[in-house]
Amino acid sequence: MRHGKKFNHLGRTADHRQAMLANMSISLIMHKRITTTLAKAKALKKYVEPLLTRSKDDSTNSRRVVFRYLQNKEAMKELFGPVAQKIGDRPGGYTRVIKLGHRQGDGADIAFIELVDFDENMAKAPKAAKRTRRGGKKKAEGTEAAAPAATEAPTAPVEEEAKAE
């Protein structure tokens, strides 16, 4: 029976699962975005979020606790350096899982998991104006801004034809 066992075992032994999640955490920290199956991405989110929270407090104890999980010096430098600076003021929710569809071979759900603060595309994207289905007042075509543009356009080709003759 599996009473009270709420995490996904991912079809692996405990040691294999811990090693896999540690390796995926290192890859996520180093590359800021990785593509994997949806189940692994969700399991990784639960695994890496507490480590990211620990990195905000750069103390010897925090470094030791995180190193016990990661076992990688380069990932530790990256985590306690640039990553900790960017997520310092965020109260949680450091990662984002986005579904990509199904894998061709076995039909597994594919997703990518990324660090939220390091996605330049989402940060720079301007918010589009909210579109509604209500009929509002539309600008009249004969306004001052439209009139000069309409009168200037026909005169320019006429002058060019005169010069050509």
Side-chain angles (χ1 to χ4, degrees), residues 52-138:
L52 293 168
T53 302
R54 278 276 184 183
S55 72
K56 295 194 318 187
D57 174 33
D58 190 6
S59 65
T60 304
N61 185 51
S62 294
R63 284 180 175 267
R64 286 178 178 168
V65 168
V66 172
F67 189 74
R68 193 174 76 207
Y69 288 92
L70 295 183
Q71 297 287 318
N72 187 305
K73 289 182 181 179
E74 288 78 26
M76 291 286 293
K77 287 178 191 173
E78 184 75 17
L79 178 61
F80 281 91
V83 174
Q85 287 176 347
K86 279 217 174 182
I87 66 171
D89 57 340
R90 183 177 286 275
Y94 311 112
T95 57
R96 174 188 299 129
V97 176
I98 298 179
K99 298 175 186 176
L100 297 176
H102 305 292
R103 189 160 51 199
Q104 182 72 29
D106 60 355
D109 292 327
I110 297 296
F112 66 75
I113 181 169
E114 66 181 356
L115 296 177
V116 172
D117 293 318
F118 286 90
D119 186 15
E120 294 85 17
N121 297 333
M122 294 290 232
K124 291 181 182 176
K127 292 187 177 181
K130 185 177 179 183
R131 297 187 62 181
T132 63
R133 294 184 56 103
R134 298 178 186 167
K137 290 185 179 179
K138 296 181 181 176

